[in-house]
Amino acid sequence: MAQKKMILDLDTGIDDALALAYAIADPAVDLIGIISSYGNCLVETSGENSLKLLELLGQTDVPVFLGEGHSSTTDSFEVMEISQLIHGKNGIGEVELPVAKRPIESQSGVDFLIEAAHKYNDDLILIPTGPMTNLDAAIAKDPEVANLIGNITFMGGALTVPGNVTPFTEANIHQDPEAADRVFRSPAQMTMVGLDVTLRTLLTKKETQQWRDLGTEAGRVFADIVDFYIDAYYNLDIDKNGCALHDPLAVGVSINPSFVNTIDLNMQVTYDDVDYGRTIGDKARLNDPTTNMKAAVGVDADAYLVYFMELLNGLFAK
């Protein structure tokens, strides 16, 4: 077992599925659990998708917990139409997988995170790939959590490029900007892997064909899922050169920070009518002697893709 323990906080759509596979495949970390979130799909669907993918990959010992089902300022959630077009109505490219034998855990995802933070401290890596609602709720329930987790690397935000929901706002942050703002202003040490770098890290059908050529069920299933994503990127004119490796890049950076260049910056999230969900420097803390955010602004996409494919080819070949 690796010393570093990882928790994924996933709204399990297609790039979340790749993040899950990456976390399983990298020997540097031990995946100890998945917390489900809302976003690409409903929180219950997210949990079911994670369980199905874990079973497909022979990782039925990894528990899945339900997190919060809606933002901190609402009492319900509906999946956006654009999310369904990108990820499919079932979140995983309309690929049908058998119902997993293992059920969702009875413990809440928030309580599981608090428990793990106290148990593993600096050795715990948390990867939120959806809204910040679960982490925000954990900190609200137990403020020590912000200081205990050794590594929080999240996929979200946009600092130097336009957003993908509004001219300023990235989708994950847009789901619950108030929660994200509270987390950004907390003592938690974080790395932001946003659109600045994920849009430069693309996967094509050349790579998914490698998975098909393995001749395994896992290779075929993941190729089918990701080809849906690549086609959606093309048909919706998001990017005709491939699909962005948003969430798996965050997993990679959490383990190997050298994949990206970062700047140190205290940040905030705006949620007024003009800039709803913008991730930007916090003017009130610009001159503070310490910072709690490393924002990724450059990426070695070639090096990352080589390692990504090495890991996943090895995993899917089993």
Side-chain angles (χ1 to χ4, degrees), residues 34 162 189 211 221 286 289 300:
I34 295 172
Q189 296 294 313
W211 301 341
V221 167
L286 285 182
D300 187 342

Side-chain angles (χ1 to χ4, degrees), residues 189-262:
Q189 296 294 313
M190 294 169 284
T191 299
M192 184 175 93
V193 178
L195 299 180
D196 312 83
V197 289
T198 64
L199 291 177
R200 303 174 184 176
T201 313
L202 301 177
L203 198 74
T204 72
K205 289 187 178 180
K206 177 182 177 182
E207 284 78 37
T208 60
Q209 186 61 46
Q210 292 182 35
W211 301 341
R212 292 188 190 282
D213 291 343
L214 295 171
T216 63
E217 183 183 11
R220 177 191 60 78
V221 167
F222 269 83
D224 287 347
I225 291 172
V226 178
D227 280 354
F228 181 98
Y229 197 48
I230 294 170
D231 288 342
Y233 264 63
Y234 189 92
N235 294 331
L236 295 168
D237 204 24
I238 298 171
D239 195 318
K240 294 190 180 297
N241 297 307
C243 66
L245 292 172
H246 297 295
D247 297 346
L249 181 59
V251 176
V253 170
S254 76
I255 301 166
N256 185 354
S258 69
F259 283 136
V260 294
N261 300 319
T262 62

Side-chain angles (χ1 to χ4, degrees), residues 245-317:
L245 292 172
H246 297 295
D247 297 346
L249 181 59
V251 176
V253 170
S254 76
I255 301 166
N256 185 354
S258 69
F259 283 136
V260 294
N261 300 319
T262 62
I263 60 173
D264 294 335
L265 183 67
N266 286 320
M267 296 182 68
Q268 68 176 94
V269 181
T270 61
Y271 46 91
D272 55 37
D273 292 337
V274 177
D275 292 346
Y276 188 77
R278 186 178 191 179
T279 49
I280 195 71
D282 181 1
K283 186 177 179 181
R285 296 186 293 152
L286 285 182
N287 292 318
D288 284 5
T290 59
T291 56
N292 72 328
M293 183 74 75
K294 292 183 178 297
V297 294
V299 59
D300 187 342
D302 291 340
Y304 174 76
L305 184 59
V306 166
Y307 190 60
F308 171 89
M309 289 302 295
E310 178 183 321
L311 285 180
L312 268 63
N313 283 345
L315 178 66
F316 298 157

Side-chain angles (χ1 to χ4, degrees), residues 82-148:
I82 187 64
S83 299
Q84 296 180 11
L85 291 173
I86 294 171
H87 296 273
K89 291 182 179 180
N90 70 348
I92 49 174
E94 305 301 351
V95 173
E96 295 297 331
L97 294 176
V99 175
K101 297 181 179 67
R102 179 166 185 161
I104 298 286
E105 303 300 306
S106 59
Q107 184 183 26
S108 76
V110 170
D111 287 343
F112 167 67
L113 177 56
I114 292 170
E115 182 181 281
H118 282 274
K119 182 175 182 179
Y120 296 110
N121 296 277
D122 286 346
D123 286 332
L124 181 61
I125 301 171
L126 175 66
I127 313 289
T129 67
M132 289 282 191
T133 313
N134 291 325
L135 178 56
D136 174 57
I139 293 172
K141 189 170 185 178
D142 183 352
E144 283 188 73
V145 166
N147 293 304
L148 288 173

Side-chain angles (χ1 to χ4, degrees), residues 159-185:
L159 182 62
T160 64
V161 299
N164 57 2
V165 177
T166 77
F168 302 112
T169 309
E170 180 275 331
N172 291 334
I173 300 297
H174 187 264
Q175 302 281 11
D176 196 345
E178 290 91 336
D181 185 55
R182 287 188 291 268
V183 172
F184 279 28
R185 295 175 187 270

